[in-house]
């Protein structure tokens, strides 16, 4: 199930996207109070925007713009909204998105072709291990996509290993949709209850919320821990509420494929210029085919690298590598630039670390400080020194480390109303 446009030449994809862009600009000029203001204040005649390169003539949209002008982004009367979702609010106040019937159909299409990318097909059974409520777009998208694909879904929700295994043994799912670290909890439960994970019939896990791969696409420590005990294929996905679109790995595991019929991507440097090939930059997106709240040149804040060589799967589309980190969560620590995912990989090297959060703050002279709050089964001084030595070897710096009961860390990781674990607490303001 590969759409023809995803196998087209790069030139044909560009022409296709430019036609879609023209339609989007006309739609925003007609229906968006926010973008009408932007075009007017910047003397932009949208009919002169002809190419993808011409996008550089249009100002960016930021999370701050969305938070301050939320209602002005809506392009339809409120009676046309069929579903409300909100962003997670990890880096600020949640933003409300209204989805129309057309948007829900688009969401279903996006997930159907994304799941197909990971090998899910008609007749497969998919177990959903994330929430579908709490105004969470992803859970709803997964349900709609599996349905559109002609597969079967089991809506178990997050957590509760006992219920997850009861469902796996009852319904024999072939794929799981799951936060990857939860797979370790499923393995632990199975081992303590005499369940052979490799006889479960599960052949793949579509993973959200945490990285599976290093920048060269090798499995990271977390993924290695999972596959050492459970012989399943792991597929990374990357998405956000603002994008209304997912980037999902195919069987070759070389990055998440772009769907050019749904999204235009730019990867920009500190000066808002396209980064050179193989360089990391900030992902900036323009949504295509969204009716309720389309976005134009939205800066996601995520630092990524694009891969443009053709994939053996037959798709010619751009692929995104693992997210290096959030731009706002970049840390300058003792002369070294860090992103939290690099610390995740190191902490996952230690089986004794049961749970953790990374807390970032400013010290008295205004420079960044890092405190790792850890729950561990080994409180010895030698173990703490081993963690520090590992950080020093891998990242050349050693953060402060505090030991806490697991219950304390879990409360920090799962605050009230949270839909996914919080691994980074940024107190820099």
């Amino acid at each position: 199930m590969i759409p023809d446009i995803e196998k087209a030449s790069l030139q044909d994809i560009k022409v296709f996207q430019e036609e879609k862009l023209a339609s989007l600009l006309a739609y925003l000029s007609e229906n968006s109070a926010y973008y009408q203001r932007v075009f007017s204040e910047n003397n932009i005649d949208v009919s002169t925007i002809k190419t993808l390169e011409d996008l550089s003539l249009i100002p960016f949209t930021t999370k701050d713009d969305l938070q301050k002008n939320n209602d002005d982004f809506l392009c339809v009367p409120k009676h046309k909204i069929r579903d409300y979702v909100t962003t997670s609010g990890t880096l600020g106040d949640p933003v409300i998105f209204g989805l129309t019937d057309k948007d829900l159909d688009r969401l279903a299409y996006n997930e159907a072709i994304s799941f197909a990318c990971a090998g899910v097909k008609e007749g497969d059974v998919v177990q959903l291990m994330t929430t579908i409520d709490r105004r969470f777009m992803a859970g709803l998208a997964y349900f709609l996509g599996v349905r559109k694909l002609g597969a079967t879904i089991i809506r178990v929700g997050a957590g509760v290993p006992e219920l997850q295994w009861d469902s796996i043994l009852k319904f024999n799912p072939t794929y799981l949709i799951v936060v990857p670290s939860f797979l370790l909890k499923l393995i632990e439960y199975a081992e303590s209850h005499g369940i052979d994970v490799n006889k479960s019939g599960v052949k793949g896990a579509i993973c959200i919320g945490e990285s599976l791969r290093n920048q060269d696409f090798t499995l990271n420590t977390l993924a290695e821990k999972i596959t050492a005990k459970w012989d399943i294929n792991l597929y990374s996905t990357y998405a956000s509420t603002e994008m209304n679109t997912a980037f999902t790995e195919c069987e070759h595991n070389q990055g998440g494929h772009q769907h050019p019929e749904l999204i235009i991507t730019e990867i920009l440097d500190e000066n808002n210029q396209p980064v050179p090939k193989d360089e990391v930059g900030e992902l900036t997106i323009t949504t295509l085919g969204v009716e309720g709240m389309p976005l134009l040149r939205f800066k996601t804040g995520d630092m990524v690298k694009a891969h443009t060589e053709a994939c053996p799967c037959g798709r010619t589309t751009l692929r995104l590598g693992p997210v290096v980190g959030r731009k706002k969560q970049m840390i300058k620590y003792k002369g070294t630039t860090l992103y939290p995912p690099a610390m995740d990989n190191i902490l996952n090297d230690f089986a004794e670390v049961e749970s953790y959060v990374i807390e970032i703050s400013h010290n008295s002279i205004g420079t960044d400080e890092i405190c790792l709050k850890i729950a561990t089964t080994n409180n010895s001084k030698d173990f703490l020194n081993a963690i520090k030595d590992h950080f020093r070897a891998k990242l050349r710096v050693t953060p402060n480390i505090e030991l806490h009961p697991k219950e304390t860390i879990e409360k920090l990781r799962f605050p009230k109303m949270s839909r996914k674990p919080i691994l980074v607490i940024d107190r820099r303001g």
Side-chain angles (χ1 to χ4, degrees):
M1 185 182 173
I2 304 179
D4 289 341
I5 190 60
E6 301 191 15
K7 298 182 287 184
S9 70
L10 296 183
Q11 182 57 33
D12 285 348
I13 290 174
K14 184 174 187 291
V15 170
F16 172 88
Q17 288 204 313
E18 286 170 351
E19 291 173 357
K20 293 280 188 182
L21 176 61
S23 298
L24 169 64
L25 291 170
Y27 181 77
L28 292 173
S29 293
E30 185 73 25
N31 298 288
S32 171
Y34 178 78
Y35 286 112
Q36 285 169 355
R37 256 195 332 269
V38 169
F39 299 150
S40 174
E41 290 170 0
N42 292 277
N43 297 314
I44 294 170
D45 177 356
V46 296
S47 67
T48 65
I49 308 295
K50 303 288 188 185
T51 69
L52 297 186
E53 290 78 11
D54 290 341
L55 272 171
S56 63
L57 302 172
I58 298 174
F60 298 105
T61 303
T62 66
K63 291 180 188 289
D64 193 46
D65 295 326
L66 279 173
Q67 288 162 344
K68 288 180 178 175
N69 306 277
N70 201 163
D71 286 350
D72 286 350
F73 281 88
L74 190 63
C75 291
V76 297
K78 290 193 174 179
H79 72 265
K80 284 198 170 185
I81 295 171
R82 297 292 172 266
D83 189 79
Y84 281 110
V85 298
T86 57
T87 58
S88 59
T90 306
L91 297 178
D93 293 333
V95 174
I96 299 167
F97 279 79
L99 280 68
T100 65
D101 281 323
K102 183 180 175 184
D103 292 334
L104 293 172
D105 289 342
R106 180 190 178 281
L107 206 57
Y109 170 80
N110 163 73
E111 287 301 337
I113 59 176
S114 296
F115 289 146
C117 210
V120 185
K121 55 188 182 299
E122 186 175 356
D124 274 313
V125 179
V126 181
Q127 185 156 319
L128 179 59
M129 297 184 175
T130 69
T131 185
I132 197 171
D133 55 4
R134 299 192 184 186
R135 308 190 305 244
F136 189 40
M137 178 185 275
L140 173 65
Y142 301 143
F143 173 77
L144 294 173
V146 170
R147 181 172 178 264
K148 184 172 181 64
L149 194 56
T152 301
I153 195 161
I154 311 159
R155 295 179 293 108
V156 182
V160 199
E162 182 179 4
L163 181 58
Q164 302 291 355
W165 273 113
D166 179 71
S167 298
I168 292 171
L169 298 174
K170 271 190 173 78
F171 302 110
N172 304 119
T174 44
Y175 286 87
L176 311 175
I177 302 172
V178 62
V179 175
S181 57
F182 186 64
L183 291 171
L184 294 176
K185 289 185 168 59
L186 290 180
I187 292 168
E188 182 183 342
Y189 182 92
E191 288 177 340
S192 63
H193 289 80
I195 299 169
D196 186 342
V197 295
N198 291 309
K199 290 183 179 177
S200 64
V202 175
K203 60 184 181 182
I206 296 160
C207 295
I208 69 163
E210 294 170 342
S211 179
L212 293 171
R213 303 192 189 282
N214 302 309
Q215 288 300 314
D216 63 358
F217 298 119
T218 55
L219 293 178
N220 64 17
T221 304
L222 173 59
E224 284 181 340
K225 283 183 174 182
I226 295 164
T227 54
K229 295 194 172 183
W230 201 344
D231 183 21
I232 53 175
N233 296 314
L234 301 177
Y235 298 93
S236 291
T237 66
Y238 164 67
S240 71
T241 303
E242 295 93 344
M243 293 194 296
N244 279 242
T245 311
F247 294 75
T248 303
E249 287 184 326
C250 69
E251 69 271 22
H252 298 284
N253 306 120
Q254 295 293 302
H257 281 279
Q258 177 188 5
H259 301 310
E261 63 271 50
L262 300 179
I263 197 164
I264 294 170
T265 57
E266 302 172 76
I267 299 178
L268 305 175
D269 63 18
E270 283 292 323
N271 299 312
N272 294 320
Q273 298 300 310
V275 296
K277 183 176 168 57
D278 297 327
E279 293 289 324
V280 172
E282 182 177 6
L283 179 67
T284 300
I285 60 96
T286 295
T287 55
L288 299 174
V290 174
E291 186 176 46
M293 280 183 61
L295 295 180
L296 187 59
R297 301 200 83 202
F298 173 70
K299 302 194 85 168
T300 65
D302 290 329
M303 305 300 288
V304 299
K305 184 192 293 187
H307 298 265
T308 54
E309 62 280 6
C311 183
C313 73
R315 294 172 180 85
T316 55
T317 51
L318 170 147
R319 301 184 312 283
L320 293 182
V323 174
V324 175
R326 285 278 184 90
K327 188 175 183 179
K328 281 190 175 181
Q329 290 178 343
M330 184 180 75
I331 308 161
K332 293 282 184 75
Y333 186 62
K334 297 180 180 178
T336 299
T337 298
L338 300 174
Y339 289 98
M343 291 182 273
D344 293 334
N345 287 340
I346 291 173
L347 290 168
N348 284 328
D349 277 334
F350 295 92
E352 297 93 333
V353 174
E354 295 182 295
S355 189
Y356 66 89
V357 291
I358 300 164
E359 190 172 272
I360 314 165
S361 61
H362 279 149
N363 58 25
S364 59
I365 59 172
T367 59
D368 291 346
E369 286 289 346
I370 306 170
C371 179
L372 305 180
K373 296 189 174 184
I374 293 174
T376 175
T377 57
N378 185 347
N379 294 331
S380 72
K381 189 174 180 180
D382 286 345
F383 178 64
L384 289 183
N385 286 335
I387 294 177
K388 291 178 180 179
D389 289 344
H390 201 40
F391 267 92
R392 202 173 291 116
K394 294 287 187 179
L395 299 180
R396 302 192 302 278
V397 292
T398 306
N400 300 312
I401 299 176
E402 290 181 2
L403 297 181
H404 293 272
K406 186 177 178 181
E407 297 75 26
T408 302
I409 302 298
E410 289 298 290
K411 282 182 180 178
L412 292 172
R413 282 169 62 95
F414 295 95
K416 281 186 178 180
M417 301 297 290
S418 173
R419 302 181 306 211
K420 55 188 178 183
I422 303 297
L423 299 180
V424 181
I425 300 172
D426 193 341
R427 302 195 185 281
R428 291 176 295 184

